[in-house]
Amino acid sequence: MDIGILRRDGRTDPFFDGTAAGRLVIRRCEACDRWFAPDASGCPGCGEEDPGWAEASGEATLVTWTVLPEEPPAYLALVELAEGPWLHARLDGVTRGDLREGLPLHVTFERPDEGETYILFHP
């Protein structure tokens, strides 16, 4: 599945620096010890306007998915990270028969010839 070329926008630099190094980096409010998706702009718990960034474990579970009717099929998913946030991502290394709510997943990284390294999840 061709997703196009991903480019950083300044706000996403820590996320893409992490993916380039093979690490999943997401938002974390140190004051509250709460984790957020990379696009979070603040902490609703304490009001921190710029939560920091921290490395997540890369472990996740499948929440829901859709199958794009391509050949081969493409699997798009909503996953829940072990730290709590939900992320949209592509699944790789799965078949329709593998898909079930709660399927344990682990992050991997796709390094295209052009653009930013991005995340995929495998069982």
Side-chain angles (χ1 to χ4, degrees):
M1 176 180 141
D2 182 14
I3 66 166
I5 299 170
L6 295 176
R7 302 270 188 227
R8 57 179 71 210
D9 66 2
R11 297 175 304 142
T12 58
D13 287 353
F15 176 79
F16 286 119
D17 289 345
T19 61
R23 298 175 21 242
L24 177 58
V25 177
I26 60 173
R27 297 294 219 152
R28 180 175 173 268
C29 179
E30 197 169 317
C32 294
D33 194 26
R34 294 171 129 189
W35 295 80
F36 303 99
D39 62 347
S41 60
C43 177
C46 70
E48 172 64 46
E49 292 183 16
D50 187 20
W53 295 85
E55 185 173 355
S57 68
E59 301 301 319
T61 56
L62 183 59
V63 175
T64 191
W65 63 92
T66 190
V67 181
L68 298 182
E70 300 180 355
E71 260 324 302
Y75 303 98
L76 303 179
L78 181 62
V79 303
E80 182 176 10
L81 298 178
E83 293 78 9
W86 290 17
L87 297 179
H88 291 96
R90 197 174 97 208
L91 299 177
D92 202 30
V94 298
T95 65
R96 286 179 199 256
D98 297 329
L99 300 173
R100 62 177 169 76
E101 184 179 346
L103 178 69
L105 301 168
H106 185 77
V107 73
T108 59
F109 303 90
E110 183 74 18
R111 291 173 173 79
D113 292 334
E114 186 178 353
E116 301 297 337
T117 300
Y118 58 90
I119 60 174
L120 301 169
F121 282 89
H122 287 262

